[in-house]
Amino acid sequence: MPELFVTNYNARFTGVSATAGNVLRQQVKRFDVALVGQALPGCPTPLSRKAAHQHSMRPPIDRPFSIWHVRRNPEMRSALWLRDVRGVPIKIVFTSAAQRLHSLYPRWLISRMDAVIATSRKAASFVPNTSAIVPHGVDTEVFAPAEDRNAAWTALGFGGKRGIASIGRIRPEKGTDIFVDAMLRFLPDHPETVGLVLGRATPPYRPFLNKLKAKVIAAGLGDRLLFPGEISAEKLPSIVRALSLIVHLPRYEGYGMTPLEGLSAGVPFVATDTGYYRSFSADGQVGAIVPTQAEAAAKAVQDLLNRPVDFGAAARAVALERFSIKGEADGISAVYDALWRGDI
């Protein structure tokens, strides 16, 4: 019987999916682990919920119980039903990244967890039963620097000599409009640069996306501020390592992996003061933290790109030394071990 079950019930590949998959690829080297629900890139073939429930009925060999690691409300609910209604010998671990107060129902679900892992001190302040603070890590082998960034950018076929990108869901909360406005200020004076808006707009946000596209066309930058759409997890590393800068300007972010993936690939960033970005920046050494304003973001982009220093080695070092996926897996494993020992 597996000793660890990692859930992923969301059919769409989201930031939560990405972080779960990153850790799971490490965990398969350490535990007898099963993925439950939807597939994740590079991870074991998932079990159905029914099959996972059946495999949980008896404790694994040499363990008093199995652990279910959950990250979303439906996953918490499913594990609670298994533990509390069916009386199955499991313990439940929940990862909380939100840097704001959960609504009433999620708070109740979280209060029923056996252990809670927060991704930052601020996230921990919004949940009452935090067992450990373990920042998300990046897979530094997958997000590795390009041998020749210029050649890598040229190979993508977007034109220009260098690229700047915003990566993530297209919606006001993620600040896509702030990025577009910043690029409308920056790009006219930098004809060698191409901006990319990489991400998907779900149906409620397609009018928002269409307005942004119309604004770009009206500014005469339709050939240099592009909207390629959503990029698959498999293709994303090849784009990230080819960029000269990542610009991420959300109005709210729980954690935010995109700038960290850039650092791992030797790419500095500009970001608003949300998520975990200030820590990623290493006190401004490899990233600029700006107000939630297009003008400030455009100025920071220009300042970073005009500096004579190559940030690549320093950015990579921050990812390797402070935010590796191995470090995250180590921190999570310590929580599991404490549960199995009975210390939590």
Side-chain angles (χ1 to χ4, degrees), residues 294-309:
E295 185 175 357
K299 183 179 185 305
V301 167
Q302 180 161 320
D303 289 346
L304 279 176
L305 291 180
N306 285 347
R307 286 188 189 180
V309 178

Side-chain angles (χ1 to χ4, degrees), residues 26 47 76 91 134 139 192 205 225 263 324 344:
Q26 292 288 313
L47 298 176
M76 284 193 281
K91 297 285 187 180
V134 182
D139 190 329
E192 75 287 357
Y205 297 102
L225 184 48
L263 293 183
S324 73
I344 298 177

Side-chain angles (χ1 to χ4, degrees), residues 36 44 69 94 97 114 143 146 149 156 168 216 220 238 255 272 277 282-283 322 330 342:
V36 185
H69 195 150
F94 173 70
D114 295 293
F143 287 93
R149 182 176 295 160
L156 294 179
V216 171
S238 65
Y255 190 83
T272 47
Y277 303 148
D283 297 322
R322 305 188 191 184
D330 288 345

Side-chain angles (χ1 to χ4, degrees), residues 44-169:
T45 301
L47 298 176
S48 67
R49 299 187 204 183
K50 181 178 180 180
H53 287 186
Q54 290 173 340
H55 282 301
S56 299
M57 289 297 173
R58 289 179 295 170
I61 297 173
D62 299 329
R63 298 289 193 196
F65 47 79
S66 298
I67 289 175
W68 278 58
H69 195 150
V70 299
R71 291 174 169 85
R72 301 178 176 96
N73 290 356
E75 298 165 10
M76 284 193 281
R77 189 167 59 240
S78 174
L80 282 172
W81 178 83
L82 189 62
R83 187 193 69 189
D84 295 349
V85 177
R86 300 195 65 180
V88 174
I90 66 169
K91 297 285 187 180
I92 311 169
V93 175
F94 173 70
T95 291
S96 180
Q99 297 197 24
R100 58 188 175 190
L101 189 65
H102 296 270
S103 58
L104 185 61
Y105 179 56
R107 290 208 305 272
W108 179 82
L109 291 173
I110 294 168
S111 74
R112 302 292 299 157
M113 299 294 101
D114 295 293
V116 175
I117 298 171
T119 57
S120 68
R121 292 189 181 279
K122 187 173 181 180
S125 71
F126 293 107
V127 287
N129 49 338
T130 301
S131 305
I133 297 173
V134 182
H136 286 317
V138 62
D139 190 329
T140 55
E141 294 182 7
V142 172
F143 287 93
E147 292 184 9
D148 183 333
R149 182 176 295 160
N150 292 333
W153 173 253
T154 299
L156 294 179
F158 291 120
K161 295 183 179 180
R162 66 184 180 188
I164 300 172
S166 171
I167 305 171
R169 289 173 292 172

Side-chain angles (χ1 to χ4, degrees), residues 127-329:
V127 287
N129 49 338
T130 301
S131 305
I133 297 173
V134 182
H136 286 317
V138 62
D139 190 329
T140 55
E141 294 182 7
V142 172
F143 287 93
E147 292 184 9
D148 183 333
R149 182 176 295 160
N150 292 333
W153 173 253
T154 299
L156 294 179
F158 291 120
K161 295 183 179 180
R162 66 184 180 188
I164 300 172
S166 171
I167 305 171
R169 289 173 292 172
I170 296 174
R171 58 182 59 185
E173 182 182 71
K174 297 298 183 181
T176 318
D177 54 323
I178 305 173
F179 173 74
V180 167
D181 287 344
M183 290 298 96
L184 294 183
R185 286 169 165 81
F186 175 80
L187 290 176
D189 296 327
H190 299 82
E192 75 287 357
T193 305
V194 171
L196 303 177
V197 180
L198 302 173
R200 175 175 179 260
T202 56
Y205 297 102
R206 285 175 188 161
F208 172 72
L209 171 60
N210 291 336
K211 287 181 181 179
L212 295 180
K213 289 181 176 179
K215 181 184 283 191
V216 171
I217 294 298
L221 289 169
D223 59 339
R224 291 204 297 119
L225 184 48
L226 310 177
F227 295 80
E230 187 172 30
I231 304 300
S232 70
E234 292 79 8
K235 292 182 179 179
L236 185 59
S238 65
I239 293 180
V240 169
R241 67 174 58 99
L243 297 171
S244 295
L245 192 64
I246 286 176
V247 181
H248 205 50
L249 305 170
R251 293 176 169 91
Y252 166 80
E253 184 64 70
Y255 190 83
M257 287 294 294
T258 300
L260 182 54
E261 291 165 346
L263 293 183
S264 182
V267 181
F269 68 89
V270 173
T272 47
D273 197 5
T274 54
Y276 215 55
Y277 303 148
R278 188 169 290 278
S279 294
F280 294 162
S281 75
D283 297 322
Q285 295 179 49
V286 295
I289 304 300
V290 299
T292 313
Q293 301 169 351
E295 185 175 357
K299 183 179 185 305
V301 167
Q302 180 161 320
D303 289 346
L304 279 176
L305 291 180
N306 285 347
R307 286 188 189 180
V309 178
D310 183 357
F311 290 95
R316 176 73 172 169
V318 168
L320 287 170
E321 296 168 10
R322 305 188 191 184
F323 299 104
S324 73
I325 190 60
K326 182 182 180 300
E328 182 181 5

